[in-house]
Amino acid sequence: MLSVVPDPVVVTVPAKVNLHLAVGDLRDDGYHELSTVFQALSLSDEVSVVPADTLTVQVQGEGAQFVPTDNRNLVWRAAEAVADRAGREPAVKISVRKGIPVAGGMAGGSADAAATLLALDHLWGLELDRATLHELAADLGSDVPFALHGGTAVGSGRGEHLLPVLARDTFHWVLALAKGGLSTPKVFAELDRLRAEGRPPRAGTPDALMQALAAGDAATLAPLLVNDLQPAALSLMPELRRTLRAGEAAGALAGIVSGSGPTCAFLCADEQSAIQVGAELAGVGVCRTVRVAAGPVPGARLADIEEGR
Ligand SMILES: C[C@@](CO)(OP(=O)(O)O)[C@H](O)COP(=O)(O)OP(=O)(O)OC[C@H]1O[C@@H](n2ccc(N)nc2=O)[C@H](O)[C@@H]1O
Ligand SMILES: Nc1ncnc2c1ncn2[C@@H]1O[C@H](COP(=O)(O)OP(=O)(O)O)[C@@H](O)[C@H]1O
């Protein structure tokens, strides 16, 4: 008898950069109150799911050797959460192809979790509504709802309450991927330590930044990029100062640490400039590798299997 191997459900999901990241005080639940503007970038992971006897996870691609394949992987937890909601066993094989740097401040694990929610919803024909997917996402991590959402959005609370932001046109970025990673909780803890010593200053409101986004004006946007976690990331990884200086010297409009770092994101005037900045930055040895990306792009979405493969 012929056994039919079902087609996998494949979802692509973008990385994010925080254009504005204002970190409030530590809350009783161990999280910091955030006010952030996220933008989804054209650097993505791909998550495939296929029915299997038991839940397994495999990871390949960029930094795969640093990613756990057991229940510490966010895709594992996402699968259990959807299965629980559907009242069934999480009997699937999940394959993750990483393009987003691991522990890079670009929310790769969160992206994979969001992709898994969408993929299993489709595989199991659940037709969960957006609100349910969002609720499952927020339970998995602060950045997971944005990975579902994509585009450009303001996040509040832990980052899980989202409102879309109008961004005209496309912005062009160069990403400098670092040699190691930074742990998100350690970077927040370092910020608390620096603040206890009375430094550094806190970001204000993102009103002017939102106007620059609506106008699609990269030159106006550049000096408004701000990240309260940057001093903490630089304190833990001082060599990032050189990376930031090198990107600006290469012609970027501005450079910023992405989220909790250590990836540095450089906003460029246009695509041509991004290609030039990327090439120059790659040549000066201040990072492991560079990527050119554009944003905003949509959130997690089913890959078009007919056309794509
Ligand atoms: C900093 C940001 C900015 O977008 O992203 P990354 O740069 O890590 O990608 C996020 O807030 C990270 O979100 P995410 O990586 O999902 O974090 P979570 O799993 O929810 O939290 C991990 C840990 O980080 C700290 N944490 C996280 C979010 C927050 N608002 N306050 C915190 O203090 C807490 O110690 C928490 O236990
Ligand atoms: N699917 C996943 N992809 C990447 N990292 C994951 C994943 N699941 C769990 N992790 C763990 O989460 C940590 C943070 O990863 P990641 O989401 O890539 O970075 P960040 O929180 O800086 O945006 C990693 O060091 C890894 O151990």
Side-chain angles (χ1 to χ4, degrees):
M1 207 173 78
L2 275 179
S3 69
V4 180
V5 181
D7 283 335
V9 172
V10 183
V11 172
T12 53
V13 64
K16 63 84 192 163
V17 62
N18 304 81
L19 309 179
H20 175 102
L21 179 50
V23 180
D25 291 325
L26 181 62
R27 307 190 315 202
D28 289 341
D29 64 1
Y31 285 86
H32 293 73
E33 193 68 19
L34 298 186
S35 166
T36 188
V37 179
F38 295 104
Q39 182 159 89
L41 300 187
S42 61
L43 185 73
S44 55
D45 281 1
E46 191 182 86
V47 175
S48 316
V49 295
V50 70
D53 294 335
T54 55
L55 177 56
T56 57
V57 173
Q58 61 180 40
V59 182
Q60 55 178 349
E62 170 75 38
Q65 67 274 29
F66 304 114
V67 181
T69 53
D70 53 19
N71 63 2
R72 289 169 297 162
N73 195 306
L74 271 186
V75 304
W76 186 293
R77 295 190 210 160
E80 287 184 332
V82 184
D84 194 42
R85 184 60 64 112
R88 56 185 297 158
E89 289 300 312
V92 281
K93 176 175 139 188
I94 306 177
S95 306
V96 180
R97 193 182 313 156
K98 302 286 310 172
I100 305 173
V102 173
M106 302 202 75
S110 305
D112 299 342
T116 302
L117 296 179
L118 203 64
L120 291 179
D121 179 55
H122 191 75
L123 182 74
W124 293 335
L126 303 175
E127 298 187 4
L128 298 173
D129 57 29
R130 289 307 284 181
T132 305
L133 286 171
H134 186 104
E135 180 198 319
L136 291 169
D139 283 346
L140 290 163
S142 313
D143 278 346
V144 184
F146 178 71
L148 272 180
H149 188 282
T152 308
V154 182
S156 57
R158 287 186 285 123
E160 81 280 29
H161 301 303
L162 297 174
L163 282 174
V165 167
L166 176 68
R168 192 185 299 271
D169 296 334
T170 297
F171 294 91
H172 298 277
W173 297 90
V174 171
L175 304 165
L177 278 51
K179 290 183 181 114
L182 277 174
S183 142
T184 300
K186 282 191 184 152
V187 176
F188 275 103
E190 180 64 4
L191 179 63
D192 292 337
R193 194 188 67 76
L194 293 175
R195 283 181 172 172
E197 290 176 351
R199 40 184 190 126
R202 292 175 187 241
T205 59
D207 303 350
L209 178 126
M210 304 239 253
Q211 280 175 18
L213 283 168
D217 185 345
T220 311
L221 180 63
L224 301 171
L225 299 174
V226 64
N227 177 4
D228 276 352
L229 290 178
Q230 179 162 314
L234 293 178
S235 168
L236 296 173
M237 221 185 242
E239 62 271 29
L240 294 178
R241 289 179 200 281
R242 271 186 70 213
T243 314
L244 289 171
R245 276 201 302 269
E248 289 176 8
L253 297 172
I256 193 170
V257 170
S258 177
S260 58
T263 305
C264 292
F266 297 96
L267 181 61
C268 297
D270 52 32
E271 188 178 4
Q272 194 55 37
S273 163
I275 292 166
Q276 278 170 14
V277 169
E280 196 165 325
L281 204 53
V284 292
V286 291
C287 57
R288 179 168 57 82
T289 185
V290 299
R291 299 272 184 274
V292 173
V297 299
R301 62 196 186 281
L302 292 166
D304 190 337
I305 295 183
E306 294 297 311
E307 283 176 20
R309 58 211 66 237

